[in-house]
PDB file of all heavy atoms in Angstrom:
ATOM      1  N   MET A1208      24.829 -17.706  29.017  1.00 55.00           N
ATOM      2  CA  MET A1208      23.821 -16.799  29.373  1.00 55.00           C
ATOM      3  C   MET A1208      22.582 -17.560  29.946  1.00 55.00           C
ATOM      4  O   MET A1208      22.121 -18.544  29.376  1.00 55.00           O
ATOM      5  CB  MET A1208      23.245 -15.989  28.116  1.00 55.00           C
ATOM      6  CG  MET A1208      22.109 -15.170  28.457  1.00 55.00           C
ATOM      7  SD  MET A1208      21.451 -14.183  26.952  1.00 55.00           S
ATOM      8  CE  MET A1208      22.338 -12.718  27.211  1.00 55.00           C
ATOM      9  N   THR A1209      22.152 -17.278  31.122  1.00 56.00           N
ATOM     10  CA  THR A1209      21.089 -17.915  31.793  1.00 56.00           C
ATOM     11  C   THR A1209      19.718 -17.530  31.290  1.00 56.00           C
ATOM     12  O   THR A1209      19.613 -16.456  30.698  1.00 56.00           O
ATOM     13  CB  THR A1209      21.208 -17.620  33.269  1.00 56.00           C
ATOM     14  OG1 THR A1209      20.832 -16.224  33.646  1.00 56.00           O
ATOM     15  CG2 THR A1209      22.532 -17.902  33.949  1.00 56.00           C
ATOM     16  N   THR A1210      18.807 -18.310  31.424  1.00 56.00           N
ATOM     17  CA  THR A1210      17.401 -17.993  31.016  1.00 56.00           C
ATOM     18  C   THR A1210      17.025 -16.608  31.652  1.00 56.00           C
ATOM     19  O   THR A1210      16.388 -15.725  31.073  1.00 56.00           O
ATOM     20  CB  THR A1210      16.359 -19.140  31.486  1.00 56.00           C
ATOM     21  OG1 THR A1210      16.822 -20.306  30.925  1.00 56.00           O
ATOM     22  CG2 THR A1210      15.033 -18.775  30.994  1.00 56.00           C
ATOM     23  N   GLN A1211      17.347 -16.421  32.905  1.00 59.00           N
ATOM     24  CA  GLN A1211      16.912 -15.119  33.644  1.00 59.00           C
ATOM     25  C   GLN A1211      17.544 -13.915  32.821  1.00 59.00           C
ATOM     26  O   GLN A1211      16.930 -12.913  32.547  1.00 59.00           O
ATOM     27  CB  GLN A1211      17.275 -15.151  35.094  1.00 59.00           C
ATOM     28  CG  GLN A1211      16.867 -14.014  35.786  1.00 59.00           C
ATOM     29  CD  GLN A1211      17.198 -13.968  37.284  1.00 59.00           C
ATOM     30  OE1 GLN A1211      17.805 -14.894  37.722  1.00 59.00           O
ATOM     31  NE2 GLN A1211      16.825 -12.987  38.047  1.00 59.00           N
ATOM     32  N   SER A1212      18.832 -13.964  32.539  1.00 53.00           N
ATOM     33  CA  SER A1212      19.557 -12.914  31.921  1.00 53.00           C
ATOM     34  C   SER A1212      19.085 -12.761  30.522  1.00 53.00           C
ATOM     35  O   SER A1212      19.021 -11.607  29.995  1.00 53.00           O
ATOM     36  CB  SER A1212      21.080 -12.978  31.988  1.00 53.00           C
ATOM     37  OG  SER A1212      21.497 -14.115  31.323  1.00 53.00           O
ATOM     38  N   PHE A1213      18.722 -13.790  29.784  1.00 52.00           N
ATOM     39  CA  PHE A1213      18.125 -13.703  28.530  1.00 52.00           C
ATOM     40  C   PHE A1213      16.861 -13.034  28.486  1.00 52.00           C
ATOM     41  O   PHE A1213      16.573 -12.147  27.804  1.00 52.00           O
ATOM     42  CB  PHE A1213      18.020 -15.146  27.886  1.00 52.00           C
ATOM     43  CG  PHE A1213      17.340 -15.186  26.533  1.00 52.00           C
ATOM     44  CD1 PHE A1213      18.017 -14.667  25.385  1.00 52.00           C
ATOM     45  CD2 PHE A1213      16.070 -15.485  26.363  1.00 52.00           C
ATOM     46  CE1 PHE A1213      17.423 -14.700  24.121  1.00 52.00           C
ATOM     47  CE2 PHE A1213      15.500 -15.551  25.179  1.00 52.00           C
ATOM     48  CZ  PHE A1213      16.183 -15.021  24.122  1.00 52.00           C
ATOM     49  N   ASN A1214      15.901 -13.423  29.392  1.00 54.00           N
ATOM     50  CA  ASN A1214      14.510 -12.802  29.493  1.00 54.00           C
ATOM     51  C   ASN A1214      14.755 -11.219  29.955  1.00 54.00           C
ATOM     52  O   ASN A1214      13.996 -10.392  29.505  1.00 54.00           O
ATOM     53  CB  ASN A1214      13.703 -13.519  30.596  1.00 54.00           C
ATOM     54  CG  ASN A1214      13.345 -14.905  30.116  1.00 54.00           C
ATOM     55  OD1 ASN A1214      13.168 -15.093  28.872  1.00 54.00           O
ATOM     56  ND2 ASN A1214      12.913 -15.803  31.050  1.00 54.00           N
ATOM     57  N   GLN A1215      15.669 -11.042  30.729  1.00 54.00           N
ATOM     58  CA  GLN A1215      15.944  -9.667  31.226  1.00 54.00           C
ATOM     59  C   GLN A1215      16.338  -8.878  29.955  1.00 54.00           C
ATOM     60  O   GLN A1215      15.954  -7.752  29.764  1.00 54.00           O
ATOM     61  CB  GLN A1215      16.972  -9.616  32.260  1.00 54.00           C
ATOM     62  CG  GLN A1215      17.309  -8.134  32.796  1.00 54.00           C
ATOM     63  CD  GLN A1215      18.316  -8.080  33.994  1.00 54.00           C
ATOM     64  OE1 GLN A1215      18.759  -9.072  34.406  1.00 54.00           O
ATOM     65  NE2 GLN A1215      18.645  -6.979  34.425  1.00 54.00           N
ATOM     66  N   SER A1216      17.218  -9.369  29.093  1.00 52.00           N
ATOM     67  CA  SER A1216      17.725  -8.640  27.981  1.00 52.00           C
ATOM     68  C   SER A1216      16.647  -8.534  27.093  1.00 52.00           C
ATOM     69  O   SER A1216      16.525  -7.291  26.358  1.00 52.00           O
ATOM     70  CB  SER A1216      18.849  -9.395  27.155  1.00 52.00           C
ATOM     71  OG  SER A1216      20.014  -9.649  28.028  1.00 52.00           O
ATOM     72  N   ASN A1217      15.757  -9.564  26.825  1.00 53.00           N
ATOM     73  CA  ASN A1217      14.577  -9.334  25.940  1.00 53.00           C
ATOM     74  C   ASN A1217      13.761  -8.164  26.457  1.00 53.00           C
ATOM     75  O   ASN A1217      13.200  -7.423  25.633  1.00 53.00           O
ATOM     76  CB  ASN A1217      13.831 -10.612  25.750  1.00 53.00           C
ATOM     77  CG  ASN A1217      14.489 -11.600  24.769  1.00 53.00           C
ATOM     78  OD1 ASN A1217      15.232 -11.081  23.976  1.00 53.00           O
ATOM     79  ND2 ASN A1217      14.118 -12.794  24.705  1.00 53.00           N
ATOM     80  N   SER A1218      13.393  -8.285  27.701  1.00 50.00           N
ATOM     81  CA  SER A1218      12.628  -7.224  28.263  1.00 50.00           C
ATOM     82  C   SER A1218      13.069  -5.807  28.183  1.00 50.00           C
ATOM     83  O   SER A1218      12.252  -4.918  27.726  1.00 50.00           O
ATOM     84  CB  SER A1218      12.418  -7.536  29.867  1.00 50.00           C
ATOM     85  OG  SER A1218      11.551  -6.539  30.519  1.00 50.00           O
ATOM     86  N   GLU A1219      14.404  -5.708  28.229  1.00 53.00           N
ATOM     87  CA  GLU A1219      15.071  -4.423  27.985  1.00 53.00           C
ATOM     88  C   GLU A1219      14.938  -4.009  26.551  1.00 53.00           C
ATOM     89  O   GLU A1219      14.595  -2.700  26.312  1.00 53.00           O
ATOM     90  CB  GLU A1219      16.514  -4.419  28.429  1.00 53.00           C
ATOM     91  CG  GLU A1219      16.773  -4.481  29.940  1.00 53.00           C
ATOM     92  CD  GLU A1219      18.203  -4.809  30.408  1.00 53.00           C
ATOM     93  OE1 GLU A1219      19.050  -4.830  29.353  1.00 53.00           O
ATOM     94  OE2 GLU A1219      18.471  -4.975  31.554  1.00 53.00           O
TER      95      GLU A1219
END
Side-chain angles (χ1 to χ4, degrees):
M1208 175 180 265
T1209 67
T1210 302
Q1211 183 179 0
S1212 63
F1213 177 77
N1214 288 338
Q1215 183 179 356
S1216 295
N1217 277 346
S1218 179
E1219 289 168 2

